[in-house]
């Protein structure tokens, strides 16, 4: 009985999440036009931070509850799902060439990934490594402001003066994203624990997918509204923030030794997917790269994710 009840709560939370995502994305786009900044920049900042909020909360609660393995599994698993599942959905659902976007922000993304790999070599996150990640965060913010003026903003035809309304709906949409994703994750985690799933697997699958629901909902909403640059910015920004904000929480307040599988199995896959993501995003900027090729890449991303989840589940 408890199982069905929590599944029902999960579905209600999902409805809230989807509705909030539509308002969050459309209002963020309106604010971008009003402020005269690109949708790529909005995706890298407001949307990325908003959709990364669940991972940040998981990191904090994991320290309080002494379940750091769930937090690290969530970071790596969420980044895998952001690329393989969410970007895969974006590529598969592409109906037009994405808006031109400045990909200079890919450098902080790759740098944060490299630092995460170095940190995982001894299966512990040190204070020094955590400080370096915060420096990468500062570098990421610098890149955003440095290259914002170079972004192509074709859609900005006129300024929108209704800043107050846009900010209000961004706040309400973000609140809905956080509440909806929190209860989605909470009920999914309860179901998983009832079934007897290990902590690391919960982090890599249930928690990772659950905390990626805001990104997925925002991506689908952005696709419907044809905000291609916003999708790329959201995934880039979210993956960077997941690493440089959540991992230092573990490094500063815990000295737990992590499961070796997270390096040999999960991080290796994350590196491969991240490189393929950057390559695909760059190719999508080229005139010779057709829509059908984008969809093929999307199919590959999603297929890899399905195989990964099946492997974690012990089905293959």
């Amino acid at each position: 009985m408890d199982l069905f009840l929590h599944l029902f709560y999960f579905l209600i939370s999902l409805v809230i999440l989807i509705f909030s995502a539509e308002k969050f994305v459309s209002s963020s786009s309106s604010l971008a036009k009003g402020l005269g900044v690109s949708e790529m920049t909005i995706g890298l900042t407001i949307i990325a931070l908003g959709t990364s909020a669940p991972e940040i909360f998981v990191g904090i609660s994991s320290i309080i509850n002494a379940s750091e393995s769930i937090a690290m599994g969530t970071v790596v698993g969420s980044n895998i799902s952001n690329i393989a599942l969410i970007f895969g959905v974006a590529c598969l659902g592409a109906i037009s060439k994405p808006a031109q976007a400045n990909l200079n922000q890919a450098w902080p993304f790759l740098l944060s990934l490299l630092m995460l790999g170095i940190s995982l070599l001894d299966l512990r996150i040190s204070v020094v490594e955590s400080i370096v990640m915060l420096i990468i965060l500062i570098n990421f913010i610098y890149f955003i402001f440095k290259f914002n003026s170079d972004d192509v903003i074709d859609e900005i035809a006129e300024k929108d003066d209704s800043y107050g309304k846009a900010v209000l709906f961004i706040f309400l949409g973000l609140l809905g994203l956080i509440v909806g994703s929190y209860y989605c994750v909470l009920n999914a985690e309860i179901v998983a624990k009832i079934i007897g799933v290990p902590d690391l697997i919960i982090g890599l699958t249930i928690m990772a997918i659950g905390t990626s629901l805001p990104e997925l909902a925002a991506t689908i909403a952005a696709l419907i509204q044809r905000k291609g640059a916003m999708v790329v910015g959201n995934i880039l920004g979210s993956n960077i923030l997941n690493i440089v904000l959540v991992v230092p929480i573990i490094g500063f307040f815990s000295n737990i030794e992590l499961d070796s599988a997270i390096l040999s199995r999960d991080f290796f896959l994350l590196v491969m997917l991240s490189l393929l993501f950057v390559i695909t995003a760059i190719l999508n900027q080229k005139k010779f790269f057709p829509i059908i090729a984008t969809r093929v890449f999307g199919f590959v991303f999603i297929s890899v994710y399905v195989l990964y989840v099946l492997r974690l589940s012990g089905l293959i």
Side-chain angles (χ1 to χ4, degrees), residues 112-315:
S112 66
L113 189 65
L114 175 62
M115 192 60 219
L116 178 60
I118 293 173
S119 301
L120 289 176
L121 286 176
D122 61 355
L123 300 177
R124 294 181 185 275
I125 310 298
S126 70
V127 173
V128 173
E129 291 163 346
S130 299
I131 293 174
V132 173
M133 289 184 186
L134 292 180
I135 294 174
I136 294 174
L137 172 60
I138 296 172
N139 177 258
F140 170 58
I141 296 172
Y142 168 75
F143 265 69
I144 290 175
F145 286 101
K146 177 177 175 61
F147 292 105
N148 174 56
S149 59
D150 297 329
D151 289 343
V152 178
I153 318 174
D154 295 330
E155 296 185 20
I156 300 178
E158 58 183 25
K159 301 273 185 175
D160 184 354
D161 296 326
S162 56
Y163 298 125
K165 183 178 179 181
V167 171
L168 175 62
F169 277 109
I170 287 174
F171 174 77
L172 293 177
L174 176 58
L175 182 62
L177 281 174
I178 294 174
V179 172
S181 62
Y182 172 78
Y183 283 104
C184 277
V185 171
L186 177 63
N187 288 286
E189 183 182 7
I190 291 174
V191 170
K193 286 189 176 293
I194 290 175
I195 298 174
V197 179
D199 279 356
L200 180 59
I201 302 302
I202 290 176
L204 287 166
T205 55
I206 301 297
M207 297 294 286
I209 296 174
T211 54
S212 290
L213 284 175
E215 286 92 344
L216 180 58
T219 294
I220 294 174
L223 283 174
I224 293 173
Q225 299 174 40
R226 302 197 178 198
K227 313 292 184 184
M230 195 175 285
V231 172
V232 176
N234 180 25
I235 294 172
L236 270 175
S238 293
N239 279 24
I240 294 171
L241 294 177
N242 285 348
I243 295 175
V244 299
L245 283 181
V246 180
V247 176
I249 294 175
I250 300 174
F252 285 130
F253 301 103
S254 173
N255 193 35
I256 186 175
E257 182 174 346
L258 301 167
D259 191 323
S260 59
I262 201 167
L263 177 63
S264 60
R265 178 192 62 199
D266 309 305
F267 180 73
F268 176 77
L269 177 61
L270 176 59
V271 171
M272 295 299 100
L273 288 171
S274 297
L275 293 176
L276 187 58
F277 162 69
V278 172
I279 292 171
T280 305
I282 292 174
L283 286 176
N284 266 319
Q285 305 289 321
K286 308 301 180 182
K287 294 181 179 179
F288 64 81
F289 200 70
I291 293 296
I292 186 65
T294 301
R295 290 174 180 163
V296 169
F297 271 84
F299 177 77
V300 171
F301 278 121
I302 294 174
S303 297
V304 168
Y305 189 72
V306 170
L307 291 173
Y308 171 67
V309 172
L310 289 176
R311 182 186 175 190
L312 288 177
S313 304
L315 298 177

